Amino acid sequence: MRNDKDNLIVNLSFEFALKIIAYVEEIRKTNRFEMASQIFRSGTSIGANIREAQNAESKADFIHKFKIAAKEADEVQYWLNLCKESEFYPNPSEELHKEIQSINLILSKIISSSKKT
């Protein structure tokens, strides 16, 4: 049951993924490919799982996909914090940090609201 109306979390996660791709390209210029791959996978997986949830077969499937997206969001936040604190990686923008925090909050709210209904 795909709902193609304008969807805040779908849009936010897509825009975030685009910014992650740009940041990963900065990291790759420093030949730090392992970290770049970790950030790329977790940062783009958030939106992919949210999109998958839009076609969920059941409410439980919907919640499960959002939980996976939340785990990926936590993971990318961890990698961004490591990069921020390490002298060996380009510092991620404050905007990236704020966006992943917002995405985490929205995901948590969607999960908790979905469990109640």
Side-chain angles (χ1 to χ4, degrees):
M1 296 227 163
R2 180 157 201 98
N3 182 352
D4 287 327
K5 290 183 189 174
D6 202 27
N7 185 314
L8 175 67
I9 193 63
V10 169
N11 296 340
L12 283 175
S13 61
F14 185 81
E15 292 300 319
F16 180 76
L18 291 174
K19 291 172 185 166
I20 283 294
I21 292 168
Y23 178 61
V24 163
E25 289 306 315
E26 283 183 52
I27 295 172
R28 287 189 172 139
K29 289 176 187 173
T30 66
N31 294 321
R32 306 268 191 303
F33 300 107
E34 294 85 2
M35 181 68 82
S37 293
Q38 290 286 350
I39 293 171
F40 181 87
R41 281 194 299 275
S42 58
T44 58
S45 178
I46 300 164
N49 281 290
I50 291 168
R51 287 289 298 256
E52 235 183 283
Q54 304 309 300
N55 294 308
E57 295 177 12
S58 65
K59 183 175 163 180
D61 187 36
F62 178 85
I63 292 168
H64 177 70
K65 299 288 189 237
F66 267 88
K67 283 183 175 181
I68 294 170
K71 287 179 182 181
E72 296 293 340
D74 282 341
E75 182 179 334
V76 77
Q77 192 166 19
Y78 173 77
W79 297 125
L80 292 175
N81 286 336
L82 276 179
C83 289
K84 181 179 179 181
E85 297 300 323
S86 173
E87 63 184 270
F88 302 106
Y89 293 95
N91 198 3
S93 69
E94 191 60 35
E95 181 181 4
L96 271 180
H97 283 286
K98 287 179 181 176
E99 285 185 32
I100 195 59
Q101 289 170 350
S102 293
I103 288 170
N104 269 324
L105 290 172
I106 294 167
L107 290 173
S108 294
K109 184 65 176 170
I110 290 169
I111 292 166
S112 66
S113 296
S114 297
K115 286 179 177 180
K116 292 177 185 175
T117 60

